[in-house]
Amino acid sequence: MAKKNIDWENLGFGYIKTDKRYVSNYTNGAWDEGALIDDDMITMSECACVLQYSQTIFEGLKAYTTEKGQIVIFRPDLNGDRLASSAKRMEMPVFPVDRFVDSIIETVKANADYVPPYGTGATLYVRPYMFGINPVIGVKPADDFQYRVFTTPVGPYFKGGVKPLTIKVSDFDRAAPHGTGNIKAGLNYAMSLHAIVTAHNEGFAENMYLDAATRSKVEETGGANFLFVTKDNKVVTPKSDSILPSITRRSLMYVAKEYLGLEVEEREVHFDEVKDFAECGLCGTAAVISPVGKIVDHGNEICFPSGMEKMGPVTQKLYDTLTGIQMGRLEAPEGWIKVVE
Ligand code: PLP
Ligand code: COI
């Protein structure tokens, strides 16, 4: 096997077709045994439930090449658990977590030539997803589903790598109370598209969404949770039933406490207090930790003391520790790293 001839250092966050993908079909109330296939195209009815009523859910995780040259994945069982909770909320069958983890390993292994080498800053993004595939015209869930996993080599999610971002407070809501904000359903992203295009057209990298009920509390961005650092080095993250339970955020809170000895708090964060924080970052699989330098709320600017040139010191430590664990430079907590090969 030889690595593909890709300019790893200059990859953005885009789709590059790789050799193999995993597919399993759910028909007559059961999943088939699944297989790796070559064909990246999907044929389905014009009336497939996913096309008419957006019955689709997904996950995102990454495969890394460690310092010693192994290929590893990070906490895939948590992605499997979250896909299961998304499936239940969306009236879809659960793909068993052990089979989920196996399907990720198999797909990454089959595309090993696309896993970026250690030290390039790139990773192999893994996208598992499931959708309702049979024709449905009255509003109801599908009976038949397809689960798939594809991979694509990626660089940083935000242009400019780890340079602090400027984001805006969105005029749109992302998720309703008692809605679907806490699961990873395609519909959450569909409804954020107008908001992200608006933000980009205005020169912002992302949106800060506030809670839809009161518009006074911080929720998350379109693709990442928030982490804040107080002036006395406490790490604070918003608690809400309508945000996605980020695996990166949960891991970083553990790292902050257990590796860095910092105080951590998961609690409601009022927008009014954001101006008092020392550092702000966006965390997620794609975002890793992307520092935020400035938040603009209808012309009012909140500029964090960490500035627009580099990450704040605590954000940097969190970033170095998490990526150190993922790339095998630091010892990982039990069960966090799964070796693919
Ligand atoms: N929030 C949203 C809306 C996301 O799409 C993601 C990405 O998966 C996250 C947060 C971060 O979650 P994770 O760290 O599990 O990737
Ligand atoms: C991820 O971080 O895996 C996501 O799904 C976020 C998405 C906006 C790319």
PDB file of all heavy atoms in Angstrom, residues 124-155:
ATOM      1  N   LEU A 124      -8.287  11.987   8.391  1.00  0.00           N
ATOM      2  CA  LEU A 124      -9.328  11.384   7.548  1.00  0.00           C
ATOM      3  C   LEU A 124     -10.667  11.553   8.261  1.00  0.00           C
ATOM      4  O   LEU A 124     -10.874  10.995   9.339  1.00  0.00           O
ATOM      5  CB  LEU A 124      -9.049   9.900   7.301  1.00  0.00           C
ATOM      6  CG  LEU A 124      -9.985   9.256   6.264  1.00  0.00           C
ATOM      7  CD1 LEU A 124      -9.633   9.722   4.849  1.00  0.00           C
ATOM      8  CD2 LEU A 124      -9.933   7.734   6.341  1.00  0.00           C
ATOM      9  N   TYR A 125     -11.532  12.352   7.685  1.00  0.00           N
ATOM     10  CA  TYR A 125     -12.861  12.567   8.270  1.00  0.00           C
ATOM     11  C   TYR A 125     -13.747  11.381   7.879  1.00  0.00           C
ATOM     12  O   TYR A 125     -13.749  10.944   6.732  1.00  0.00           O
ATOM     13  CB  TYR A 125     -13.442  13.876   7.738  1.00  0.00           C
ATOM     14  CG  TYR A 125     -14.748  14.272   8.384  1.00  0.00           C
ATOM     15  CD1 TYR A 125     -14.790  14.699   9.706  1.00  0.00           C
ATOM     16  CD2 TYR A 125     -15.945  14.209   7.677  1.00  0.00           C
ATOM     17  CE1 TYR A 125     -15.987  15.062  10.302  1.00  0.00           C
ATOM     18  CE2 TYR A 125     -17.145  14.572   8.275  1.00  0.00           C
ATOM     19  CZ  TYR A 125     -17.155  14.998   9.584  1.00  0.00           C
ATOM     20  OH  TYR A 125     -18.338  15.360  10.178  1.00  0.00           O
ATOM     21  N   VAL A 126     -14.482  10.874   8.849  1.00  0.00           N
ATOM     22  CA  VAL A 126     -15.339   9.708   8.632  1.00  0.00           C
ATOM     23  C   VAL A 126     -16.786  10.141   8.824  1.00  0.00           C
ATOM     24  O   VAL A 126     -17.126  10.727   9.855  1.00  0.00           O
ATOM     25  CB  VAL A 126     -14.988   8.580   9.634  1.00  0.00           C
ATOM     26  CG1 VAL A 126     -15.792   7.320   9.328  1.00  0.00           C
ATOM     27  CG2 VAL A 126     -13.487   8.286   9.619  1.00  0.00           C
ATOM     28  N   ARG A 127     -17.611   9.877   7.860  1.00  0.00           N
ATOM     29  CA  ARG A 127     -19.006  10.327   7.900  1.00  0.00           C
ATOM     30  C   ARG A 127     -19.958   9.122   7.838  1.00  0.00           C
ATOM     31  O   ARG A 127     -20.258   8.613   6.760  1.00  0.00           O
ATOM     32  CB  ARG A 127     -19.254  11.290   6.728  1.00  0.00           C
ATOM     33  CG  ARG A 127     -20.690  11.745   6.511  1.00  0.00           C
ATOM     34  CD  ARG A 127     -21.355  12.357   7.729  1.00  0.00           C
ATOM     35  NE  ARG A 127     -20.764  13.564   8.250  1.00  0.00           N
ATOM     36  CZ  ARG A 127     -21.070  14.810   7.862  1.00  0.00           C
ATOM     37  NH1 ARG A 127     -21.942  15.003   6.923  1.00  0.00           N
ATOM     38  NH2 ARG A 127     -20.504  15.854   8.458  1.00  0.00           N
ATOM     39  N   PRO A 128     -20.431   8.630   8.970  1.00  0.00           N
ATOM     40  CA  PRO A 128     -21.488   7.619   8.996  1.00  0.00           C
ATOM     41  C   PRO A 128     -22.841   8.327   8.898  1.00  0.00           C
ATOM     42  O   PRO A 128     -23.011   9.409   9.458  1.00  0.00           O
ATOM     43  CB  PRO A 128     -21.339   6.985  10.386  1.00  0.00           C
ATOM     44  CG  PRO A 128     -20.142   7.629  11.028  1.00  0.00           C
ATOM     45  CD  PRO A 128     -19.891   8.905  10.310  1.00  0.00           C
ATOM     46  N   TYR A 129     -23.791   7.722   8.212  1.00  0.00           N
ATOM     47  CA  TYR A 129     -25.121   8.343   8.105  1.00  0.00           C
ATOM     48  C   TYR A 129     -26.170   7.303   7.778  1.00  0.00           C
ATOM     49  O   TYR A 129     -25.853   6.196   7.325  1.00  0.00           O
ATOM     50  CB  TYR A 129     -25.127   9.493   7.096  1.00  0.00           C
ATOM     51  CG  TYR A 129     -24.732   9.147   5.680  1.00  0.00           C
ATOM     52  CD1 TYR A 129     -25.653   9.238   4.626  1.00  0.00           C
ATOM     53  CD2 TYR A 129     -23.441   8.731   5.370  1.00  0.00           C
ATOM     54  CE1 TYR A 129     -25.294   8.932   3.326  1.00  0.00           C
ATOM     55  CE2 TYR A 129     -23.082   8.434   4.066  1.00  0.00           C
ATOM     56  CZ  TYR A 129     -24.009   8.530   3.054  1.00  0.00           C
ATOM     57  OH  TYR A 129     -23.643   8.227   1.773  1.00  0.00           O
ATOM     58  N   MET A 130     -27.408   7.666   7.998  1.00  0.00           N
ATOM     59  CA  MET A 130     -28.513   6.728   7.795  1.00  0.00           C
ATOM     60  C   MET A 130     -29.718   7.516   7.296  1.00  0.00           C
ATOM     61  O   MET A 130     -29.949   8.643   7.750  1.00  0.00           O
ATOM     62  CB  MET A 130     -28.860   6.075   9.135  1.00  0.00           C
ATOM     63  CG  MET A 130     -29.870   4.943   9.030  1.00  0.00           C
ATOM     64  SD  MET A 130     -30.679   4.635  10.615  1.00  0.00           S
ATOM     65  CE  MET A 130     -29.318   4.034  11.569  1.00  0.00           C
ATOM     66  N   PHE A 131     -30.462   6.928   6.378  1.00  0.00           N
ATOM     67  CA  PHE A 131     -31.613   7.657   5.838  1.00  0.00           C
ATOM     68  C   PHE A 131     -32.734   6.702   5.441  1.00  0.00           C
ATOM     69  O   PHE A 131     -32.504   5.524   5.152  1.00  0.00           O
ATOM     70  CB  PHE A 131     -31.195   8.522   4.635  1.00  0.00           C
ATOM     71  CG  PHE A 131     -30.419   7.774   3.586  1.00  0.00           C
ATOM     72  CD1 PHE A 131     -31.073   7.203   2.505  1.00  0.00           C
ATOM     73  CD2 PHE A 131     -29.045   7.648   3.687  1.00  0.00           C
ATOM     74  CE1 PHE A 131     -30.361   6.504   1.538  1.00  0.00           C
ATOM     75  CE2 PHE A 131     -28.325   6.948   2.730  1.00  0.00           C
ATOM     76  CZ  PHE A 131     -28.983   6.371   1.656  1.00  0.00           C
ATOM     77  N   GLY A 132     -33.960   7.257   5.417  1.00  0.00           N
ATOM     78  CA  GLY A 132     -35.149   6.505   5.010  1.00  0.00           C
ATOM     79  C   GLY A 132     -35.192   6.439   3.501  1.00  0.00           C
ATOM     80  O   GLY A 132     -35.169   7.478   2.832  1.00  0.00           O
ATOM     81  N   ILE A 133     -35.257   5.222   2.941  1.00  0.00           N
ATOM     82  CA  ILE A 133     -35.007   5.085   1.495  1.00  0.00           C
ATOM     83  C   ILE A 133     -36.241   4.682   0.684  1.00  0.00           C
ATOM     84  O   ILE A 133     -36.282   4.904  -0.528  1.00  0.00           O
ATOM     85  CB  ILE A 133     -33.819   4.104   1.263  1.00  0.00           C
ATOM     86  CG1 ILE A 133     -33.248   4.276  -0.154  1.00  0.00           C
ATOM     87  CG2 ILE A 133     -34.197   2.668   1.590  1.00  0.00           C
ATOM     88  CD1 ILE A 133     -31.902   3.621  -0.353  1.00  0.00           C
ATOM     89  N   ASN A 134     -37.282   4.110   1.336  1.00  0.00           N
ATOM     90  CA  ASN A 134     -38.420   3.669   0.504  1.00  0.00           C
ATOM     91  C   ASN A 134     -39.387   4.836   0.255  1.00  0.00           C
ATOM     92  O   ASN A 134     -39.352   5.840   0.967  1.00  0.00           O
ATOM     93  CB  ASN A 134     -39.134   2.468   1.155  1.00  0.00           C
ATOM     94  CG  ASN A 134     -39.747   2.824   2.483  1.00  0.00           C
ATOM     95  OD1 ASN A 134     -39.018   3.068   3.443  1.00  0.00           O
ATOM     96  ND2 ASN A 134     -41.072   2.898   2.544  1.00  0.00           N
ATOM     97  N   PRO A 135     -40.259   4.680  -0.757  1.00  0.00           N
ATOM     98  CA  PRO A 135     -41.193   5.774  -1.073  1.00  0.00           C
ATOM     99  C   PRO A 135     -42.173   6.029   0.060  1.00  0.00           C
ATOM    100  O   PRO A 135     -42.756   5.083   0.603  1.00  0.00           O
ATOM    101  CB  PRO A 135     -41.948   5.264  -2.312  1.00  0.00           C
ATOM    102  CG  PRO A 135     -41.179   4.116  -2.820  1.00  0.00           C
ATOM    103  CD  PRO A 135     -40.381   3.553  -1.698  1.00  0.00           C
ATOM    104  N   VAL A 136     -42.336   7.299   0.430  1.00  0.00           N
ATOM    105  CA  VAL A 136     -43.276   7.707   1.480  1.00  0.00           C
ATOM    106  C   VAL A 136     -43.919   9.001   0.994  1.00  0.00           C
ATOM    107  O   VAL A 136     -43.209   9.949   0.667  1.00  0.00           O
ATOM    108  CB  VAL A 136     -42.509   7.960   2.803  1.00  0.00           C
ATOM    109  CG1 VAL A 136     -43.378   8.714   3.782  1.00  0.00           C
ATOM    110  CG2 VAL A 136     -42.028   6.651   3.426  1.00  0.00           C
ATOM    111  N   ILE A 137     -45.243   9.048   0.932  1.00  0.00           N
ATOM    112  CA  ILE A 137     -45.863  10.306   0.507  1.00  0.00           C
ATOM    113  C   ILE A 137     -46.735  10.916   1.607  1.00  0.00           C
ATOM    114  O   ILE A 137     -46.690  12.116   1.827  1.00  0.00           O
ATOM    115  CB  ILE A 137     -46.573  10.174  -0.873  1.00  0.00           C
ATOM    116  CG1 ILE A 137     -46.950  11.534  -1.454  1.00  0.00           C
ATOM    117  CG2 ILE A 137     -47.779   9.247  -0.796  1.00  0.00           C
ATOM    118  CD1 ILE A 137     -45.823  12.384  -1.897  1.00  0.00           C
ATOM    119  N   GLY A 138     -47.506  10.101   2.343  1.00  0.00           N
ATOM    120  CA  GLY A 138     -48.157  10.619   3.546  1.00  0.00           C
ATOM    121  C   GLY A 138     -47.057  10.824   4.583  1.00  0.00           C
ATOM    122  O   GLY A 138     -46.056  10.089   4.571  1.00  0.00           O
ATOM    123  N   VAL A 139     -47.207  11.795   5.475  1.00  0.00           N
ATOM    124  CA  VAL A 139     -46.102  12.059   6.410  1.00  0.00           C
ATOM    125  C   VAL A 139     -46.026  10.943   7.450  1.00  0.00           C
ATOM    126  O   VAL A 139     -46.894  10.816   8.322  1.00  0.00           O
ATOM    127  CB  VAL A 139     -46.251  13.429   7.091  1.00  0.00           C
ATOM    128  CG1 VAL A 139     -45.135  13.649   8.103  1.00  0.00           C
ATOM    129  CG2 VAL A 139     -46.220  14.533   6.049  1.00  0.00           C
ATOM    130  N   LYS A 140     -45.035  10.108   7.293  1.00  0.00           N
ATOM    131  CA  LYS A 140     -44.750   9.022   8.247  1.00  0.00           C
ATOM    132  C   LYS A 140     -43.317   8.554   8.033  1.00  0.00           C
ATOM    133  O   LYS A 140     -42.724   8.862   6.987  1.00  0.00           O
ATOM    134  CB  LYS A 140     -45.753   7.873   8.088  1.00  0.00           C
ATOM    135  CG  LYS A 140     -45.653   7.115   6.786  1.00  0.00           C
ATOM    136  CD  LYS A 140     -46.677   5.991   6.761  1.00  0.00           C
ATOM    137  CE  LYS A 140     -46.671   5.244   5.450  1.00  0.00           C
ATOM    138  NZ  LYS A 140     -45.824   4.125   5.297  1.00  0.00           N
ATOM    139  N   PRO A 141     -42.761   7.821   8.998  1.00  0.00           N
ATOM    140  CA  PRO A 141     -41.385   7.353   8.810  1.00  0.00           C
ATOM    141  C   PRO A 141     -41.297   6.296   7.709  1.00  0.00           C
ATOM    142  O   PRO A 141     -42.291   5.627   7.409  1.00  0.00           O
ATOM    143  CB  PRO A 141     -41.028   6.716  10.156  1.00  0.00           C
ATOM    144  CG  PRO A 141     -42.159   6.998  11.081  1.00  0.00           C
ATOM    145  CD  PRO A 141     -43.337   7.413  10.280  1.00  0.00           C
ATOM    146  N   ALA A 142     -40.105   6.166   7.141  1.00  0.00           N
ATOM    147  CA  ALA A 142     -39.851   5.084   6.184  1.00  0.00           C
ATOM    148  C   ALA A 142     -39.906   3.735   6.890  1.00  0.00           C
ATOM    149  O   ALA A 142     -39.886   3.659   8.126  1.00  0.00           O
ATOM    150  CB  ALA A 142     -38.475   5.293   5.552  1.00  0.00           C
ATOM    151  N   ASP A 143     -39.980   2.671   6.092  1.00  0.00           N
ATOM    152  CA  ASP A 143     -39.857   1.300   6.620  1.00  0.00           C
ATOM    153  C   ASP A 143     -38.467   0.739   6.337  1.00  0.00           C
ATOM    154  O   ASP A 143     -37.972  -0.107   7.067  1.00  0.00           O
ATOM    155  CB  ASP A 143     -40.884   0.375   5.947  1.00  0.00           C
ATOM    156  CG  ASP A 143     -42.298   0.810   6.259  1.00  0.00           C
ATOM    157  OD1 ASP A 143     -42.608   0.979   7.456  1.00  0.00           O
ATOM    158  OD2 ASP A 143     -43.089   1.029   5.305  1.00  0.00           O
ATOM    159  N   ASP A 144     -37.865   1.226   5.262  1.00  0.00           N
ATOM    160  CA  ASP A 144     -36.554   0.717   4.852  1.00  0.00           C
ATOM    161  C   ASP A 144     -35.518   1.836   4.968  1.00  0.00           C
ATOM    162  O   ASP A 144     -35.819   3.003   4.651  1.00  0.00           O
ATOM    163  CB  ASP A 144     -36.596   0.243   3.393  1.00  0.00           C
ATOM    164  CG  ASP A 144     -37.591  -0.898   3.190  1.00  0.00           C
ATOM    165  OD1 ASP A 144     -37.933  -1.560   4.190  1.00  0.00           O
ATOM    166  OD2 ASP A 144     -38.037  -1.084   2.044  1.00  0.00           O
ATOM    167  N   PHE A 145     -34.330   1.444   5.390  1.00  0.00           N
ATOM    168  CA  PHE A 145     -33.286   2.442   5.653  1.00  0.00           C
ATOM    169  C   PHE A 145     -31.961   1.979   5.079  1.00  0.00           C
ATOM    170  O   PHE A 145     -31.738   0.776   4.898  1.00  0.00           O
ATOM    171  CB  PHE A 145     -33.146   2.662   7.172  1.00  0.00           C
ATOM    172  CG  PHE A 145     -34.405   3.232   7.778  1.00  0.00           C
ATOM    173  CD1 PHE A 145     -35.439   2.390   8.179  1.00  0.00           C
ATOM    174  CD2 PHE A 145     -34.570   4.602   7.898  1.00  0.00           C
ATOM    175  CE1 PHE A 145     -36.624   2.913   8.706  1.00  0.00           C
ATOM    176  CE2 PHE A 145     -35.747   5.132   8.424  1.00  0.00           C
ATOM    177  CZ  PHE A 145     -36.772   4.285   8.832  1.00  0.00           C
ATOM    178  N   GLN A 146     -31.097   2.929   4.825  1.00  0.00           N
ATOM    179  CA  GLN A 146     -29.738   2.583   4.449  1.00  0.00           C
ATOM    180  C   GLN A 146     -28.779   3.278   5.409  1.00  0.00           C
ATOM    181  O   GLN A 146     -28.947   4.461   5.718  1.00  0.00           O
ATOM    182  CB  GLN A 146     -29.454   3.005   3.006  1.00  0.00           C
ATOM    183  CG  GLN A 146     -28.141   2.447   2.501  1.00  0.00           C
ATOM    184  CD  GLN A 146     -28.015   2.526   0.977  1.00  0.00           C
ATOM    185  OE1 GLN A 146     -27.423   3.453   0.458  1.00  0.00           O
ATOM    186  NE2 GLN A 146     -28.560   1.542   0.272  1.00  0.00           N
ATOM    187  N   TYR A 147     -27.777   2.516   5.866  1.00  0.00           N
ATOM    188  CA  TYR A 147     -26.694   3.054   6.703  1.00  0.00           C
ATOM    189  C   TYR A 147     -25.437   3.007   5.855  1.00  0.00           C
ATOM    190  O   TYR A 147     -25.159   1.991   5.214  1.00  0.00           O
ATOM    191  CB  TYR A 147     -26.541   2.196   7.967  1.00  0.00           C
ATOM    192  CG  TYR A 147     -25.260   2.464   8.740  1.00  0.00           C
ATOM    193  CD1 TYR A 147     -25.141   3.578   9.555  1.00  0.00           C
ATOM    194  CD2 TYR A 147     -24.168   1.591   8.628  1.00  0.00           C
ATOM    195  CE1 TYR A 147     -23.959   3.830  10.250  1.00  0.00           C
ATOM    196  CE2 TYR A 147     -22.987   1.832   9.327  1.00  0.00           C
ATOM    197  CZ  TYR A 147     -22.900   2.952  10.130  1.00  0.00           C
ATOM    198  OH  TYR A 147     -21.728   3.213  10.808  1.00  0.00           O
ATOM    199  N   ARG A 148     -24.708   4.096   5.826  1.00  0.00           N
ATOM    200  CA  ARG A 148     -23.477   4.140   5.028  1.00  0.00           C
ATOM    201  C   ARG A 148     -22.367   4.833   5.809  1.00  0.00           C
ATOM    202  O   ARG A 148     -22.639   5.637   6.704  1.00  0.00           O
ATOM    203  CB  ARG A 148     -23.687   4.911   3.718  1.00  0.00           C
ATOM    204  CG  ARG A 148     -24.656   4.249   2.763  1.00  0.00           C
ATOM    205  CD  ARG A 148     -24.871   5.101   1.532  1.00  0.00           C
ATOM    206  NE  ARG A 148     -23.805   5.011   0.558  1.00  0.00           N
ATOM    207  CZ  ARG A 148     -23.863   4.297  -0.573  1.00  0.00           C
ATOM    208  NH1 ARG A 148     -24.927   3.592  -0.882  1.00  0.00           N
ATOM    209  NH2 ARG A 148     -22.851   4.293  -1.410  1.00  0.00           N
ATOM    210  N   VAL A 149     -21.149   4.551   5.409  1.00  0.00           N
ATOM    211  CA  VAL A 149     -19.982   5.261   5.958  1.00  0.00           C
ATOM    212  C   VAL A 149     -19.060   5.591   4.799  1.00  0.00           C
ATOM    213  O   VAL A 149     -18.690   4.694   4.042  1.00  0.00           O
ATOM    214  CB  VAL A 149     -19.174   4.383   6.951  1.00  0.00           C
ATOM    215  CG1 VAL A 149     -18.026   5.198   7.575  1.00  0.00           C
ATOM    216  CG2 VAL A 149     -20.055   3.779   8.031  1.00  0.00           C
ATOM    217  N   PHE A 150     -18.731   6.880   4.639  1.00  0.00           N
ATOM    218  CA  PHE A 150     -17.663   7.219   3.689  1.00  0.00           C
ATOM    219  C   PHE A 150     -16.588   8.007   4.418  1.00  0.00           C
ATOM    220  O   PHE A 150     -16.791   8.456   5.562  1.00  0.00           O
ATOM    221  CB  PHE A 150     -18.193   7.950   2.440  1.00  0.00           C
ATOM    222  CG  PHE A 150     -18.660   9.364   2.662  1.00  0.00           C
ATOM    223  CD1 PHE A 150     -17.761  10.420   2.794  1.00  0.00           C
ATOM    224  CD2 PHE A 150     -20.023   9.659   2.708  1.00  0.00           C
ATOM    225  CE1 PHE A 150     -18.198  11.729   2.978  1.00  0.00           C
ATOM    226  CE2 PHE A 150     -20.478  10.965   2.887  1.00  0.00           C
ATOM    227  CZ  PHE A 150     -19.560  12.000   3.028  1.00  0.00           C
ATOM    228  N   THR A 151     -15.462   8.160   3.745  1.00  0.00           N
ATOM    229  CA  THR A 151     -14.347   8.899   4.353  1.00  0.00           C
ATOM    230  C   THR A 151     -13.853   9.950   3.360  1.00  0.00           C
ATOM    231  O   THR A 151     -14.066   9.800   2.152  1.00  0.00           O
ATOM    232  CB  THR A 151     -13.166   7.959   4.674  1.00  0.00           C
ATOM    233  OG1 THR A 151     -12.710   7.374   3.452  1.00  0.00           O
ATOM    234  CG2 THR A 151     -13.558   6.852   5.643  1.00  0.00           C
ATOM    235  N   THR A 152     -13.231  10.978   3.888  1.00  0.00           N
ATOM    236  CA  THR A 152     -12.611  11.981   3.015  1.00  0.00           C
ATOM    237  C   THR A 152     -11.468  12.663   3.777  1.00  0.00           C
ATOM    238  O   THR A 152     -11.643  13.016   4.950  1.00  0.00           O
ATOM    239  CB  THR A 152     -13.656  13.015   2.519  1.00  0.00           C
ATOM    240  OG1 THR A 152     -13.010  13.968   1.670  1.00  0.00           O
ATOM    241  CG2 THR A 152     -14.353  13.774   3.631  1.00  0.00           C
ATOM    242  N   PRO A 153     -10.306  12.791   3.159  1.00  0.00           N
ATOM    243  CA  PRO A 153      -9.209  13.476   3.864  1.00  0.00           C
ATOM    244  C   PRO A 153      -9.503  14.969   3.983  1.00  0.00           C
ATOM    245  O   PRO A 153      -9.964  15.573   3.011  1.00  0.00           O
ATOM    246  CB  PRO A 153      -7.988  13.231   2.978  1.00  0.00           C
ATOM    247  CG  PRO A 153      -8.492  12.721   1.681  1.00  0.00           C
ATOM    248  CD  PRO A 153      -9.916  12.315   1.824  1.00  0.00           C
ATOM    249  N   VAL A 154      -9.262  15.527   5.160  1.00  0.00           N
ATOM    250  CA  VAL A 154      -9.580  16.944   5.382  1.00  0.00           C
ATOM    251  C   VAL A 154      -8.452  17.675   6.112  1.00  0.00           C
ATOM    252  O   VAL A 154      -7.710  17.087   6.881  1.00  0.00           O
ATOM    253  CB  VAL A 154     -10.876  17.139   6.222  1.00  0.00           C
ATOM    254  CG1 VAL A 154     -12.102  16.636   5.466  1.00  0.00           C
ATOM    255  CG2 VAL A 154     -10.764  16.511   7.606  1.00  0.00           C
ATOM    256  N   GLY A 155      -8.419  18.979   5.866  1.00  0.00           N
ATOM    257  CA  GLY A 155      -7.593  19.897   6.636  1.00  0.00           C
ATOM    258  C   GLY A 155      -8.495  20.663   7.590  1.00  0.00           C
ATOM    259  O   GLY A 155      -9.584  20.205   7.940  1.00  0.00           O
TER     260      GLY A 155
END
